[in-house]
Amino acid sequence: MSDIDKDRSPSRRAFLQGAAAAGAGAFAAGNAQAATPDPLITEVQPWAQELGDGVDATPYGLPTAHEGDVIRRNVEWLTADTISSINFTPIHALDGTITPQGCAFERHHSGAIDLKKEDYRLMINGLVDTPLVFSYSDLERFPRENHVYFCECAANTGMEWAGAQLNGAQFTHGMIHNMEYTGVPLRTLLEEAGYQTAGKWVFVEGADASSNGRSIPMEKALDDVLIAFKANGEALRKEHGYPVRLVVPGWEGNMWVKWIRRIEVIENAVESREETSKYTDTLADGTSRKWTWAMDAKSVVTSPSPQAPITHGKGPMVISGLAWSGNGAITRVDVSKDGGKNWETARLAKPGENKALTRFYLDTSWDGEEMILQSRAMDETGYVQPTKTQLREVRGLNSVYHNNCIQTWLVRSNGQAENVEVS
Ligand code: MTE
Ligand code: CO
């Protein structure tokens, strides 16, 4: 067994020794050497001397106040106001893979609108045999499917091109969420309307003032795009497009039209202002790449990270993070503690799923020394997440969108972490 292997499988005895050495109260009671008894073990606490809340105290439950800092956060200087703006998922504080809607990032171009199911209409027109209008209850009559997918804004990690900038996984990588969607395949509705073979694209738009019009190739529209009306089992939240949004698996978030109201089958893509300028990728040689739809494989260590420092001493430690790919399933994630010189293969909590977040863990041991932490994702196509240097060789320093480079956290011996770059 190499030293690295030993580190990765701490024995139970080593774990207990580590805990006692760190003075963990829970172990003190059973430890003959413990000097002071722990009142949390030896005394009856107030919460055991009175009654708790009855049922219905909160008919729709809220997170406990003790977790009050697990919230979306906005970076004020990024945008002029909060209407056309973005906030970030607190990925540093979550575990597993499903993002609760209440803390899933929001991106609006003209604010989150309030639209009732009764007022909801979805029109399909253009190159179809029969233009159709569906009400919400019409949509509920089509066979529906459930799928878990991530949604990542093309701008995620976009502030990091020129240098390490935002100090926290929430801000560098939090323009992402991962939910279980319930909806009707777009293919079903296009077939219902009788799409014509001349139709090579669909133009999709929302009911909000910005309308967020986007063109999607017909091949994708007929593949896995969903007209979704539930997320994580319940109605979509207003900010995620209630009552109905488009789900475009693996593709950049701006195509996931919220409050979707119209789908036009067309021959040529509509060259909207946003698509031709804003979401274009700048390349190192000064030219631009027009369409980049799929989000390439990417990963980030969520803990430890700047907002989730190490609070325990030396010994057993879980390094945890998220990996995803818009081109399929994650097959492997490696973690480095020395800035990419040596890599250890992390444990995937579950086998990677198609276009969904994968949780990885490195069950390891910390010697109390500084670490230069990185993670590197691989997907089923064989693609390997690039370093920042590799990505810059192609994209230069002036890009904004589609930054999927390896992230580096410097973890100091006091457990604090910060966003850095290694050359
Ligand atoms: N759809 C409409 N109608 N209006 C919008 O402003 N923003 C897009 C997309 N769909 C937007 C929209 C962008 S840029 C992203 S990243 C995703 O919605 C974000 O979805 P979320 O707010 O549910 O996180
Ligand atoms: Co976006």
Side-chain angles (χ1 to χ4, degrees):
M1 216 189 209
S2 72
D3 281 341
I4 283 175
D5 287 336
K6 263 189 240 153
D7 277 0
R8 289 191 57 210
S9 51
S11 72
R12 181 150 176 79
R13 206 173 128 254
F15 185 88
L16 292 174
Q17 280 170 351
F27 291 99
N31 183 340
Q33 282 153 21
T36 40
D38 180 353
L40 284 166
I41 292 292
T42 58
E43 276 160 40
V44 179
Q45 298 297 316
W47 52 84
Q49 297 177 40
E50 55 191 47
L51 302 175
D53 291 340
V55 297
D56 283 349
T58 35
Y60 190 98
L62 292 168
T64 159
H66 309 302
E67 297 289 326
D69 61 341
V70 184
I71 49 169
R72 299 187 272 233
R73 287 185 179 86
N74 178 15
V75 173
E76 268 172 35
W77 54 262
L78 270 183
T79 51
D81 58 47
T82 58
I83 302 294
S84 181
S85 192
I86 184 122
N87 59 20
F88 302 84
T89 308
I91 53 169
H92 64 287
L94 301 176
D95 213 315
T97 56
I98 296 293
T99 317
Q101 287 197 70
C103 63
F105 87 94
E106 309 165 66
R107 170 77 177 104
H108 319 302
H109 291 83
S110 52
I113 57 164
D114 186 32
L115 179 57
K116 288 207 272 293
K117 277 183 189 166
E118 301 78 56
D119 296 338
Y120 179 76
R121 298 290 182 274
L122 173 63
M123 176 160 96
I124 299 193
N125 67 332
L127 299 171
V128 293
D129 295 340
T130 324
L132 295 172
V133 174
F134 304 96
S135 67
Y136 184 88
S137 59
D138 291 337
L139 293 180
E140 288 184 308
R141 300 174 70 181
F142 289 95
R144 64 189 90 138
E145 297 182 1
N146 288 197
H147 297 277
V148 176
Y149 293 124
F150 76 82
C151 170
E152 182 183 17
C153 181
N156 200 19
T157 322
M159 285 77 76
E160 303 292 312
W161 279 103
Q165 183 164 211
L166 298 173
N167 217 23
Q170 176 167 24
F171 304 110
T172 56
H173 290 75
M175 291 184 198
I176 191 161
H177 51 61
N178 190 66
M179 306 192 196
E180 185 196 46
Y181 294 99
T182 302
V184 177
L186 176 55
R187 182 184 57 247
T188 307
L189 301 185
L190 288 170
E191 283 167 357
E192 187 77 8
Y195 66 93
Q196 296 166 2
T197 47
K200 299 287 180 246
W201 298 77
V202 292
F203 182 73
V204 288
E205 65 180 17
D208 54 330
S210 81
S211 86
N212 199 78
R214 293 290 183 275
S215 301
I216 300 177
M218 188 55 108
E219 204 186 4
K220 179 71 174 175
L222 296 175
D223 180 15
D224 53 5
V225 176
L226 282 180
I227 300 282
F229 39 82
K230 293 280 162 74
N232 302 339
E234 63 180 355
L236 286 163
R237 296 282 166 87
K238 167 183 169 175
E239 57 269 37
H240 301 301
Y242 179 88
V244 184
R245 90 171 301 166
L246 202 64
V247 166
V248 190
W251 286 23
E252 52 186 21
N254 69 79
M255 307 183 94
W256 294 48
V257 175
K258 301 189 275 192
W259 315 286
I260 183 152
R261 68 158 194 173
R262 195 170 73 89
I263 297 162
E264 184 178 346
V265 179
I266 52 178
E267 202 178 335
N268 299 303
V270 174
E271 305 271 333
S272 81
R273 183 174 45 83
E274 294 255 67
E275 280 169 316
T276 47
S277 57
K278 214 170 150 233
Y279 290 98
T280 297
D281 289 327
T282 318
L283 303 182
D285 63 6
T287 62
S288 292
R289 181 166 65 185
K290 188 167 156 193
W291 310 107
T292 316
W293 293 308
M295 303 306 292
D296 282 333
K298 185 165 169 180
S299 69
V300 64
V301 170
T302 52
S303 173
S305 66
Q307 297 159 287
I310 303 175
T311 53
H312 57 71
K314 294 179 194 176
M317 172 173 68
V318 176
I319 296 174
S320 177
L322 292 167
W324 61 95
S325 168
N327 294 307
I330 289 294
T331 49
R332 180 171 139 190
V333 181
D334 293 336
V335 172
S336 175
K337 295 172 183 164
D338 55 11
K341 293 192 194 84
N342 296 288
W343 295 92
E344 296 173 64
T345 300
R347 172 170 65 87
L348 305 187
K350 285 194 286 183
E353 288 165 20
N354 182 34
K355 299 164 190 161
L357 290 191
T358 295
R359 171 65 58 179
F360 66 85
Y361 298 108
L362 188 72
D363 308 304
T364 186
S365 175
W366 186 41
D367 56 11
E369 298 292 314
E370 202 170 271
M371 292 184 288
I372 305 173
L373 264 190
Q374 299 184 327
S375 64
R376 176 177 71 185
M378 280 153 250
D379 71 18
E380 61 178 297
T381 69
Y383 179 94
V384 181
Q385 184 183 0
T387 63
K388 203 162 190 177
T389 309
Q390 286 169 336
L391 200 59
R392 279 177 178 157
E393 277 163 17
V394 187
R395 303 280 304 282
L397 294 176
N398 297 321
S399 268
V400 176
Y401 301 104
H402 293 268
N403 182 349
N404 69 321
C405 73
I406 289 174
Q407 171 66 38
T408 310
W409 306 126
L410 170 65
V411 184
R412 298 190 186 281
S413 50
N414 64 4
Q416 299 292 320
E418 67 184 85
N419 184 5
V420 298
E421 280 186 15
V422 287
S423 50

